[in-house]
Structures are given as C-alpha cells and as structure tokens.
Amino acid sequence: VQLVESGGGSVQAGGSLRLSCAASGYTKTRYCMGWFRQAPEKAREELVFVDVDGSTTYTDSVKGRFTSAKDNAKNTLYLQMDSLAPEDTAMYYCAADLPAVIGGTEHCPRVWPYWGQGAQVTVSS
C-alpha cells in the first residue's frame, strides 16, 4: 500500500483545513487506517482510528473538531479539521495496516507498516 498525502498549510486559529490520503497498491484489500500527528519534541499522537469495518474512533483532543471520512471509490481518506488551535500545529500523517484474521474475525494489528509522507499544519494565534 502506498499512501500519498495532500492538503495542510497555514491557517489562523479557528480556521479549517482538510488533509487527503490517497492509497494505491493493494487497494482491493480491506485495511484499517489512522491519522497521526507529531509536533516538534513531542511523541507521535494517534488522532483517528478507522477500523476495517469503517468504524471510526477519535482521540479526545480532536473529538468534535476533526472528522475523518473515506471515499472508497477514490481510495482516499480525508481528515477535515475545524476549529483549529495553535496546539494543533504539527506534522500530520496517515497510516495503514492490513487486518489479521483471528478466530474468523478481522482485527487491525495497529502496527502501521504503511505511512504517508506527512503534511505540515501550522496554526497561528
């Protein structure tokens, strides 16, 4: 799976941005995806987890402000970011993993072997 990100940029606090993550390669295979970010001198943070069945989970820091959606026809995952704040400034990444079948059920290992190149998001106050 190859992931190519686009979007990002600079915005003032309260503004919005949208990131895109286009997948190619094993696109006919079901996979799980995630959105992450990493600010300078901070640990990587998982923001959104999109499971194989499409169910989506948000971390508390972005819940209600960020929305992830997948266009299966375009094999693209989007991250709509609203009400941005300076603390959202970071490099944002999308990632993908292939599910493992355990007991007849697909589970996402969340090892994330596939990563996009990253998109810088800068929010000024």
Side-chain angles (χ1 to χ4, degrees):
V1 180
Q2 291 82 45
L3 304 175
V4 178
E5 294 185 50
S6 59
S10 298
V11 66
Q12 290 192 324
S16 298
L17 287 172
R18 188 177 82 158
L19 302 180
S20 299
C21 176
S24 61
Y26 292 99
T27 55
K28 294 190 177 183
T29 300
R30 287 161 58 87
Y31 48 90
C32 44
M33 298 191 73
W35 286 102
F36 300 77
R37 69 184 178 192
Q38 187 164 21
E41 300 181 359
K42 290 191 176 181
R44 187 177 68 196
E45 178 184 15
E46 181 178 305
L47 306 177
V48 183
F49 172 61
V50 183
D51 210 339
V52 180
D53 62 0
S55 58
T56 304
T57 307
Y58 298 86
T59 193
D60 287 346
S61 62
V62 305
K63 197 175 297 182
R65 300 188 301 124
F66 291 12
T67 303
S68 183
K70 190 164 184 263
D71 186 333
N72 288 321
K74 295 183 178 180
N75 293 312
T76 300
L77 183 70
Y78 300 96
L79 183 65
Q80 176 67 39
M81 303 181 292
D82 299 318
S83 302
L84 284 163
E87 52 266 35
D88 294 316
T89 295
M91 186 71 80
Y92 284 69
Y93 300 90
C94 62
D97 202 346
L98 298 176
V101 179
I102 302 174
T105 305
E106 289 182 317
H107 296 274
C108 181
R110 299 175 85 159
V111 174
W112 310 117
Y114 309 104
W115 288 86
Q117 81 279 15
Q120 178 66 40
V121 171
T122 303
V123 185
S124 58
S125 57

